[in-house]
Amino acid sequence: MHGSPDCELSSRSEAMAPNINSTLPLLLLFLLFTLHLSSVSAWKKEEFRTCNQTPFCKRARSRKPHSSSLFATDVAILNGALTANLRQPPPESPDQDQIKPLLFTLSVYQNGVVRVKIDEDPSLGPPKKRFEVPDVILPEFESTKLWLQRFQTETVDGDSGPSSVVHVADGYEAVLRHNPFEVYVREKQGKRRVLSLNSHGLFDFEQLRVKQEGDDWEERFKGHTDVRPYGPQSISFDVSFFDADFVYGIPEHASSFALRPTRGPGVDDSEPYRLFNLDVFEFIHDSPFGLYGSIPFMLGHGKARGTSGFFWLNAAEMQIDVLGSGWDAESGILLPESGSRIDTLWMSEAGIVDTFFFIGPGPKDVVRQYTSVTGMPAMPQLFSTAYHQCRWNYRDEEDVENIDSKFDEHDIPYDVLWLDIEHTDGKRYFTWDRVLFPNPEQMQNKLAAKGRHMVTIVDPHIKRDESFHLHKEATSKGYYVKDATGKDYDGWCWPGSSSYLDMLNPEIRSWWSEKFSLKHYVGSTPWLYIWNDMNEPSVFNGPEVTMPRDALHYGGVEHRELHNAYGYYFHMATSDGLVKRGDGKDRPFVLSRAFFSGSQRHGAVWTGDNTADWDQLRVSVPMILTLGLTGMTFSGADVGGYFGNPETELLVRWYQLGAYYPFFRAHAHQDTKRREPWLFGDRNTELMRDAIHTRYALLPYFYTLFREANTSGVPVMRPLWMEFPSDKATFSNDEAFMVGNSLLVQGIYTERAKYASVYLPGGQSWYDLRTGIIYKGGTTHKLEVSEETIPAFHRAGTIIPRKDRYRRSSTQMANDPYTLVIALNSSHAAEGELYIDNGKSFEFKQGAYIHRHFVFSDGKVTSSSLVPKASKTLFSSACVIERIIVLGHSSGPKKALIEPSNRKAEIEVGPLWLQRGKSAPVLTIRRPNVPVADDWTIKIL
Ligand SMILES: *[C@@H]1O[C@H](CO)[C@@H](O)[C@H](O)[C@H]1NC(C)=O
Ligand SMILES: *[C@@H]1O[C@H](CO)[C@@H](O)[C@H](O)[C@H]1NC(C)=O
């Protein structure tokens, strides 16, 4: 959340300063100021650096292809890895710096992962150890290393010297080309490249030096000085994705899903994609500008080969260019015909080269490979996958009670009520404003009685107030981040003067996590969960609204080196706190705004402070798709748009789309009008209720998908090409998406839309989710749309489990029966899954869950278990399946036979919910009441 008038005032006046004539009357100034507060489009571009204002970026971008003269020597196998020294020819004149050799290491891991590290050689005495990001790579990843025994040599590309080749996986090998230095993964057969580094010779590694007389290393931006005591230390290199039609990934940006070229013919003056966690006030909807989180992981995908991925574990500011074909022409050197190759340029201010190549070849293989390094997404608690109601701020206990009861009055389920910063005593987190919230436990217990939960906000800035115990303790223990002079860093945020805990330090994280115990967090209950905002970190008076790069962390690490991971460590510590609070029994729920690679292990994220307009509704889809593709599957955008007042139609459309976001929360800025779903007349209440009901009915399906993500990394919300990887028409489609493999959803992004063009992929048919009307795949349909719903389709050949009874909350649906919706394909078959556990604890990790496989074929539906055979059942459910709907079943039989119980069930043809004439044939097996946990078969007679 962002948008305090105080912060506005300070930053605005600074930005305005050069333009203000000193004779300008005060009145006009005041007018300008108030005007600004109410204006909608207020992105303050000049607050933030461009690449040109960022020396390392400017330098890297001006390099010409083949300017790197590195070559590899001393190639050997050491500790199961291929190692070498990277050298440069001796300098031509004696006053040029002698470059010390760099250490190169290539290791191979199971399932097609290649890791390449390049760093300074510690034995050559660099002035400082460069920062390697800790606690992101899974400890168990190291155990999947394949111990290399040997390498082959080979002459490639007409080189005069050799290249070294090692085996990677079936059909793939990695090549270290010695001179010129290049590293790539290729297919064994035909030697086609998949991914390469330094093919264009843009590699550059600024080594740390001791400051000499006359070196001016300081950098200034907007009145801030970065002392840069270690001087330039950036790294840049090119990476090529072969046989790729598009590249994707590297969140977070509000831009298209398929990344557009930022340089090359026909691209005017674009910034590179920036990865630098920033609190951007009113971000615009189409920009490569860096937002709240950073995941330096990119995927390439093409029809010819499939998918590959590249990840650079580095938490410093990064800038990435996507180079349009022909980009190299400007240098005068034309590279050989590129085919569908996509070249990219990666630039980082500090750190080391620690990169991972993922060979795919399928899209799901690449996400599995990436999450094998950075971790599988955590399994959320069931309640957190339902609907959340948030606003800055629900004022007091009476307001909370009123909102809560209104949901019941209007028959709208919800699971979580959120409290923003105003619930605290003066923005001191872990406290309550005792006037507004005199009985916080009682308030939470009342919600809990309806199966509901509460979330409160806990931000990383600590109010510098001598009477605040947290500040006292953190100060005396020396737990704050230090400024460049070694004093506790003091920045301005919600509470005013604030300091920031040094979350890089594991001891401080552990101390922090204790603060969430019921004893320490007075007024909290086991039904309370947490929201981490402002953890980029946001500092209102800092450079680019964040912490100075020369601030100091644990171990002498500079903030510039770990900036993009600061929020990650804070999220981790908070999430650990909730686990500890429940003695390790219950899964945590923590929503974070900032994120980094690996954040998927710690909880959910959202896309930050969006705006109530149609373009922002539209861009939410590519943003969430990108997050999912890069591991962060539990994500969503603020429904309704955070800033501004949505028109009613936009709000309704947002609910209709948001109901399919993996994380579904409505939120609003404090200056906006109230916008709870019942405030816009009966008809609109009905439409929003309907959208929320859709989500609740689909919760069993969503939860099953969260479990799939938890075991495979494959996201809940997926781009179409993840399911249809060879259908080119899907590659740049970011208006539609898949929920799992069975549902296709297309948002409506314009006002008063009468029609929508919807591309339905594949050779399969699709059933309209509401009407059952059947549509052909592999073509674009022009569909009439109504206010009732956005287009959504059930893919033929799949089965979706639902719960169709509406309660107050997901928790209250625990014992409700299921409905199975079977969508038959042209061979009269379909299959699907259902995952169930207690929705709360970690016991599923020991096997306490139900996982069913449903198959329809030969006129019968069969349920079997996907749980590996265990000696005893650790989790059971008394729930039954109360209804089975079979879409596309053309015969009109009368009975269904259930085995093994040998009972009969009624069959009804054409149930009520299919009203229109054009519906596909459908039949419903009524009340089969088969236990969801059991094996059974139902034959249609
Ligand atoms: C699934 O989620 C849990 C946390 O809820 C996590 O501990 C586990 O590592 C995740 N992955 C797998 C494969 O269980
Ligand atoms: C129909 O669906 C079944 C189950 O998913 C699948 O095995 C089969 O290949 C599909 N048939 C066609 C023609 O796609």
Side-chain angles (χ1 to χ4, degrees), residues 376-380 587 707 710-711 842 844-845:
M376 295 293 164
M379 188 64 198
R587 293 171 231 167
R707 176 58 175 167
N710 182 235
T711 54
F842 285 109
F844 72 99
K845 292 178 73 175

Short mmCIF file of all heavy atoms in Angstrom, two decimals, residues 376-380 587 707 710-711 842 844-845, ligand 1:
data_model
loop_
_atom_site.label_atom_id
_atom_site.label_comp_id
_atom_site.label_asym_id
_atom_site.label_seq_id
_atom_site.Cartn_x
_atom_site.Cartn_y
_atom_site.Cartn_z
N MET A 376 9.29 -26.02 -4.31
CA MET A 376 7.90 -26.13 -4.76
C MET A 376 7.05 -25.11 -4.02
O MET A 376 7.33 -24.79 -2.87
CB MET A 376 7.35 -27.53 -4.43
CG MET A 376 8.03 -28.67 -5.16
SD MET A 376 7.69 -28.59 -6.92
CE MET A 376 8.97 -29.68 -7.53
N PRO A 377 5.99 -24.64 -4.65
CA PRO A 377 5.09 -23.73 -3.94
C PRO A 377 4.51 -24.43 -2.71
O PRO A 377 4.19 -25.62 -2.77
CB PRO A 377 3.98 -23.46 -4.96
CG PRO A 377 4.55 -23.81 -6.30
CD PRO A 377 5.58 -24.87 -6.05
N ALA A 378 4.40 -23.69 -1.62
CA ALA A 378 3.83 -24.26 -0.40
C ALA A 378 2.38 -24.64 -0.64
O ALA A 378 1.68 -24.01 -1.43
CB ALA A 378 3.90 -23.26 0.74
N MET A 379 1.93 -25.66 0.06
CA MET A 379 0.53 -26.02 0.03
C MET A 379 -0.22 -25.06 0.94
O MET A 379 0.06 -24.99 2.13
CB MET A 379 0.38 -27.47 0.52
CG MET A 379 -1.00 -28.05 0.36
SD MET A 379 -1.46 -28.17 -1.39
CE MET A 379 -3.24 -28.35 -1.22
N PRO A 380 -1.16 -24.28 0.39
CA PRO A 380 -1.84 -23.31 1.25
C PRO A 380 -2.91 -23.98 2.10
O PRO A 380 -3.36 -25.08 1.80
CB PRO A 380 -2.51 -22.36 0.24
CG PRO A 380 -2.67 -23.15 -1.01
CD PRO A 380 -1.59 -24.20 -1.01
N ARG A 587 -0.24 -24.99 8.64
CA ARG A 587 0.38 -24.27 7.53
C ARG A 587 0.19 -22.76 7.76
O ARG A 587 -0.88 -22.35 8.19
CB ARG A 587 -0.29 -24.66 6.21
CG ARG A 587 -0.04 -26.09 5.82
CD ARG A 587 -0.92 -26.46 4.61
NE ARG A 587 -1.64 -27.69 4.87
CZ ARG A 587 -2.65 -28.14 4.16
NH1 ARG A 587 -3.08 -27.45 3.11
NH2 ARG A 587 -3.25 -29.27 4.45
N ARG A 707 -2.39 -28.52 -5.00
CA ARG A 707 -1.57 -29.68 -4.67
C ARG A 707 -0.70 -30.09 -5.86
O ARG A 707 0.46 -30.47 -5.69
CB ARG A 707 -2.47 -30.84 -4.22
CG ARG A 707 -1.73 -32.13 -3.93
CD ARG A 707 -0.64 -31.97 -2.86
NE ARG A 707 -0.06 -33.28 -2.56
CZ ARG A 707 1.06 -33.45 -1.86
NH1 ARG A 707 1.71 -32.41 -1.37
NH2 ARG A 707 1.52 -34.66 -1.62
N ASN A 710 2.12 -27.88 -5.77
CA ASN A 710 2.96 -28.23 -4.62
C ASN A 710 3.88 -29.42 -4.92
O ASN A 710 4.95 -29.55 -4.34
CB ASN A 710 2.04 -28.53 -3.42
CG ASN A 710 2.78 -28.88 -2.15
OD1 ASN A 710 2.53 -29.93 -1.56
ND2 ASN A 710 3.69 -28.01 -1.71
N THR A 711 3.45 -30.31 -5.81
CA THR A 711 4.29 -31.48 -6.10
C THR A 711 5.06 -31.37 -7.41
O THR A 711 5.99 -32.12 -7.64
CB THR A 711 3.44 -32.77 -6.16
OG1 THR A 711 2.39 -32.56 -7.10
CG2 THR A 711 2.85 -33.11 -4.81
N PHE A 842 0.09 -29.94 8.46
CA PHE A 842 1.15 -30.49 7.60
C PHE A 842 1.06 -32.01 7.47
O PHE A 842 1.92 -32.64 6.87
CB PHE A 842 2.52 -30.13 8.18
CG PHE A 842 2.91 -28.70 7.97
CD1 PHE A 842 2.95 -27.81 9.02
CD2 PHE A 842 3.26 -28.25 6.69
CE1 PHE A 842 3.32 -26.48 8.82
CE2 PHE A 842 3.63 -26.92 6.48
CZ PHE A 842 3.66 -26.04 7.56
N PHE A 844 -0.53 -33.90 5.70
CA PHE A 844 -0.55 -34.44 4.33
C PHE A 844 0.85 -34.85 3.89
O PHE A 844 1.02 -35.71 3.03
CB PHE A 844 -1.14 -33.41 3.35
CG PHE A 844 -0.25 -32.24 3.06
CD1 PHE A 844 0.52 -32.19 1.91
CD2 PHE A 844 -0.17 -31.17 3.94
CE1 PHE A 844 1.35 -31.12 1.64
CE2 PHE A 844 0.66 -30.09 3.68
CZ PHE A 844 1.43 -30.06 2.54
N LYS A 845 1.87 -34.21 4.48
CA LYS A 845 3.23 -34.54 4.08
C LYS A 845 3.62 -35.96 4.49
O LYS A 845 4.53 -36.55 3.94
CB LYS A 845 4.23 -33.54 4.67
CG LYS A 845 4.07 -32.16 4.06
CD LYS A 845 5.01 -31.15 4.67
CE LYS A 845 6.44 -31.35 4.24
NZ LYS A 845 7.32 -30.27 4.75
C1 LIG B 1 4.30 -28.76 -0.31
O1 LIG B 1 3.98 -27.79 0.66
C2 LIG B 1 4.57 -27.95 1.94
C3 LIG B 1 4.16 -26.80 2.80
O2 LIG B 1 2.81 -26.67 2.91
C4 LIG B 1 6.07 -27.99 1.84
O3 LIG B 1 6.60 -28.27 3.11
C5 LIG B 1 6.50 -29.03 0.84
O4 LIG B 1 7.89 -28.96 0.68
C6 LIG B 1 5.82 -28.77 -0.50
N1 LIG B 1 6.25 -29.71 -1.51
C7 LIG B 1 6.04 -31.02 -1.47
C8 LIG B 1 6.57 -31.81 -2.59
O5 LIG B 1 5.42 -31.56 -0.58
#
